[in-house]
């Protein structure tokens, strides 16, 4: 058990109050009570990462110490829950990301944004540093194993939104930032986890590049006008529409080749839903798009269609409901996916608190909505498949906070019919603060 110095009563910022406020204890609880029936096909971990600062002086929601909340499901039972801080060098030793000589230390960071699995490793991610490996083998407690730098080959930070190709098993990602060029580097690890591609990409300035896109044939970067500004309060990035906005297209079969840049209207995107090739000369991207960065402007689902023949991008808003944290069945990453889902609302702290889940039919344009009820707020929902058919049946798993009781549940919905009530609700021993991203990680086949 580790006590945090942060508390709701001492908080002076919105991101330290209510369900943004950190929890103070690391718990382990077994045989959790369930309303409904946990699908017996689900055997594995539902993990969600997010900020849980120990310091009441935390100056921004994005900077809090990473904490992973894990729920173990097995044989129709909610076997256990545990929450653990990620023990980065910053957490254990107070190591700073930039030393007195201005050198970056990529082992320092919060590891607070996402948690993914690749090549047998479970990695807690934040875009400013190296990933940190977490142990979620049976009988282990989500302990931190340590920083993972791909055997010394990774020399930049790693995005919190890598993409795993379902065809090749490759992990595609990038690193950005730093005071000097190159401000962007593209990386690729093979299915065995070996880093095989690292190539700098020329961009004119350091911009906040939170996510990107992968298709069967292309990688697409978003160079958007959230430009590094050390003087800016809170996050050191400022909206600068004069910088312009553009998409950079790189062929996967030529990873060291030309990046082709195509202009779009100034905007900002934290998160992509998916992307796919439409023939040889068109790329279709779906994103949660903000009109600006750093304001309370809402995000909506948009479609961008890149025409590589004309060198143009067609931009189209698809829905007028606010949305964030868009996800698909990740087995279709980079391939045509008919269905996607998102939380109805903005990033907490920048707009309305979400209270519903949206399911998009990207083919017909239909949108289905599940409301969780008054005062009940969902987090990002991860897809858990029911069988081996990508895009087929499955469940959506999300932590839901109930303001009336100051508690949280894991709610499991039928992905094909979210308008009905939950399949199961697992009642947790403590609330799960608002956080960022996670995944359903089924046990590996033996």
């Amino acid at each position: 058990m580790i006590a945090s110095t942060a508390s709701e009563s001492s908080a002076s910022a919105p991101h330290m109050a209510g369900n943004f406020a950190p929890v103070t204890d690391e718990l382990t609880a077994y045989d959790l009570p369930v309303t409904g029936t946990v699908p017996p096909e689900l055997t594995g971990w539902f993990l969600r990462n997010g900020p849980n600062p120990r310091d009441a002086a935390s100056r921004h929601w994005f900077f809090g110490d990473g904490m992973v909340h894990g729920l173990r499901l097995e044989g129709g039972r909610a076997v256990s829950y545990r929450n653990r801080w990620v023990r980065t060098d910053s957490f254990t030793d107070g190591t700073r990301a930039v030393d007195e000589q201005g050198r970056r230390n990529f082992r320092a960071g919060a590891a607070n944004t996402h948690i993914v699995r690749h090549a047998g490793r479970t990695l807690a991610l934040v875009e400013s540093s190296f990933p940190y490996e977490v142990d979620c083998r049976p009988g282990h407690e989500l302990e931190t194993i340590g920083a993972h730098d791909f055997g010394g080959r990774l020399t930049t930070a790693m995005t919190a939104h890598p993409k795993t190709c379902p065809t090749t098993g490759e992990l595609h990602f990038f690193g950005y930032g730093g005071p000097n060029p190159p401000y962007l580097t593209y990386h690729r690890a093979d299915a065995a986890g070996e880093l095989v591609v690292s190539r700098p990409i020329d961009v004119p300035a350091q911009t906040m590049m939170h996510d990107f896109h992968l298709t069967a044939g292309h990688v697409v970067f978003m160079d958007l006008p959230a430009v590094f500004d050390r003087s800016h309060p809170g996050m050191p990035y400022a909206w600068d529409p004069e910088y312009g906005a553009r998409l950079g297209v790189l062929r996967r079969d030529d990873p060291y080749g030309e990046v082709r840049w195509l202009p779009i209207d100034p905007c900002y995107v934290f998160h992509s839903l998916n992307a796919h090739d439409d023939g040889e000369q068109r790329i279709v991207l779906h994103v949660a798009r903000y009109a600006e960065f750093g304001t309370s402007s809402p995000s909506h689902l948009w479609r961008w269609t890149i025409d590589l023949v004309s060198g143009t991008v067609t931009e189209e808003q698809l829905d007028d409901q606010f949305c964030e944290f868009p996800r698909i069945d990740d087995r279709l990453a980079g391939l045509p996916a008919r269905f996607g889902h998102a939380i109805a609302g903005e990033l907490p702290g920048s707009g309305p608190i979400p209270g519903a889940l949206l399911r998009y039919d990207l083919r017909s344009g239909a949108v289905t909505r599940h409301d969780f009820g008054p005062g009940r707020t969902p987090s990002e929902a991860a897809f858990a498949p029911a069988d081996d058919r990508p895009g087929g049946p499955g469940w959506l798993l999300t932590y839901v906070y109930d303001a009336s009781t100051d508690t949280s549940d894991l709610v499991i919905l039928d992905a094909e019919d979210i308008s009905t009530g939950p399949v199961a609700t697992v009642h947790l021993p403590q609330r799960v603060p608002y956080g960022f991203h996670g995944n359903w990680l089924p046990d590996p086949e033996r």
Side-chain angles (χ1 to χ4, degrees):
M1 179 183 298
I2 292 182
S4 167
T5 60
S7 69
E8 204 168 319
S9 62
S10 63
S12 59
H15 75 279
M16 294 292 287
N19 197 45
F20 292 101
V23 294
T24 59
D25 298 328
E26 295 177 312
L27 301 181
T28 301
Y30 298 96
D31 295 320
L32 306 177
V34 178
T35 300
T37 303
V38 174
E41 297 90 341
L42 295 179
T43 297
W45 284 99
F46 176 57
L47 302 180
R48 212 290 317 276
N49 200 351
N52 197 80
R54 292 175 294 162
D55 185 355
S58 173
R59 63 189 177 93
H60 196 284
W61 189 43
F62 290 176
F63 298 156
D65 304 290
M67 176 176 279
V68 176
H69 297 261
L71 191 66
R72 174 78 186 171
L73 303 179
E74 217 175 291
R77 296 169 49 236
V79 174
S80 65
Y81 161 84
R82 62 205 61 188
N83 61 304
R84 297 291 184 270
W85 271 290
V86 184
R87 266 74 173 174
T88 67
D89 285 7
S90 297
F91 183 98
T92 58
D93 303 327
T95 304
R96 299 177 59 182
V98 180
D99 66 18
E100 295 178 353
Q101 286 73 43
R103 296 171 298 192
R104 292 186 69 182
N105 182 344
F106 293 112
R107 296 177 62 93
N112 68 6
T113 308
H114 205 349
I115 188 158
V116 303
R117 177 191 287 161
H118 185 254
R121 299 179 186 271
T122 303
L123 303 175
L125 306 173
V126 68
E127 62 204 63
S128 59
S129 64
F130 289 155
Y132 266 77
E133 187 175 1
V134 174
D135 195 341
C136 62
R137 295 174 298 170
H140 291 259
E141 298 280 326
L142 301 183
E143 301 103 328
T144 302
I145 295 173
H148 179 59
D149 63 1
F150 295 86
R153 295 183 179 180
L154 182 63
T155 59
T156 73
M158 177 178 176
T159 177
H161 288 285
K163 314 292 183 189
T164 300
C165 175
T167 303
T168 65
E170 296 169 331
L171 187 72
H172 297 252
F173 59 100
F174 64 91
Y176 80 91
N180 302 306
Y183 300 116
L184 176 63
T185 304
Y186 164 60
H187 301 284
R188 185 186 303 179
D190 65 19
E194 294 294 320
L195 191 62
V196 294
V197 172
S198 291
R199 59 100 18 127
I201 295 175
D202 184 28
V203 293
Q206 181 188 154
T207 61
M208 186 176 176
M209 192 177 295
H210 187 68
D211 202 350
F212 75 129
H213 307 265
L214 179 73
T215 74
H218 301 90
V219 177
V220 182
F221 302 98
M222 297 182 287
D223 191 25
L224 306 176
V227 182
F228 182 75
D229 181 353
R230 192 183 302 275
S231 67
H232 198 263
M235 287 293 294
Y237 291 88
W239 173 250
D240 181 9
E242 297 302 316
Y243 179 85
R246 58 187 188 155
L247 303 177
V249 181
L250 174 67
R251 292 183 60 91
R252 282 180 56 177
D253 62 4
D254 188 15
Y256 294 94
E258 176 190 7
V259 177
R260 185 177 179 187
W261 294 101
L262 308 174
I264 59 173
D265 291 337
C267 63
Y268 191 72
V269 171
F270 278 105
H271 301 122
S272 64
L273 174 63
N274 194 33
H276 68 272
D277 297 318
D278 182 13
E280 295 185 359
Q281 298 297 327
R282 284 163 51 97
I283 305 172
V284 178
L285 318 171
H286 288 92
V287 298
R289 179 190 183 275
Y290 293 83
E292 296 183 15
F293 172 83
T295 72
S296 59
S297 67
S299 60
H300 301 92
L301 184 66
W302 281 60
R303 178 169 55 224
W304 291 333
T305 303
I306 297 174
D307 186 326
L308 294 173
V309 175
S310 64
T312 59
V313 181
T314 302
E315 307 178 60
E316 179 184 6
Q317 182 175 332
L318 300 182
D319 189 28
D320 60 2
Q321 298 180 86
F322 300 170
C323 76
E324 250 299 351
F325 298 113
R327 296 292 297 265
I328 60 164
D329 177 348
D330 287 334
R331 297 172 299 174
L332 290 172
L335 302 173
R338 178 173 178 178
F339 298 103
H341 53 276
I343 298 301
E346 299 307 292
L347 283 168
S350 67
I353 297 294
L357 181 67
L358 304 175
R359 176 174 168 87
Y360 295 103
D361 185 330
L362 301 174
R363 185 181 303 168
S364 71
V367 184
T368 308
R369 181 181 177 103
H370 176 85
D371 287 288
F372 290 86
R376 290 179 61 80
T377 304
S379 299
E380 177 192 69
F383 182 85
D387 57 32
D388 294 333
R389 292 173 292 168
W395 299 274
L396 299 176
L397 281 63
T398 176
Y399 288 129
V400 176
Y401 172 68
D402 191 325
S404 67
T405 59
D406 196 34
T407 60
S408 295
D409 302 316
L410 172 73
V411 174
I412 303 175
L413 298 170
D414 182 344
E416 294 187 307
D417 188 8
I418 68 168
S419 62
T420 60
V423 173
T425 299
V426 181
H427 306 288
L428 303 180
Q430 70 175 353
R431 65 180 177 86
V432 176
Y434 297 133
F436 298 135
H437 308 287
N439 273 303
W440 167 249
L441 301 181
D443 285 358
E445 294 183 4
R446 292 180 172 85

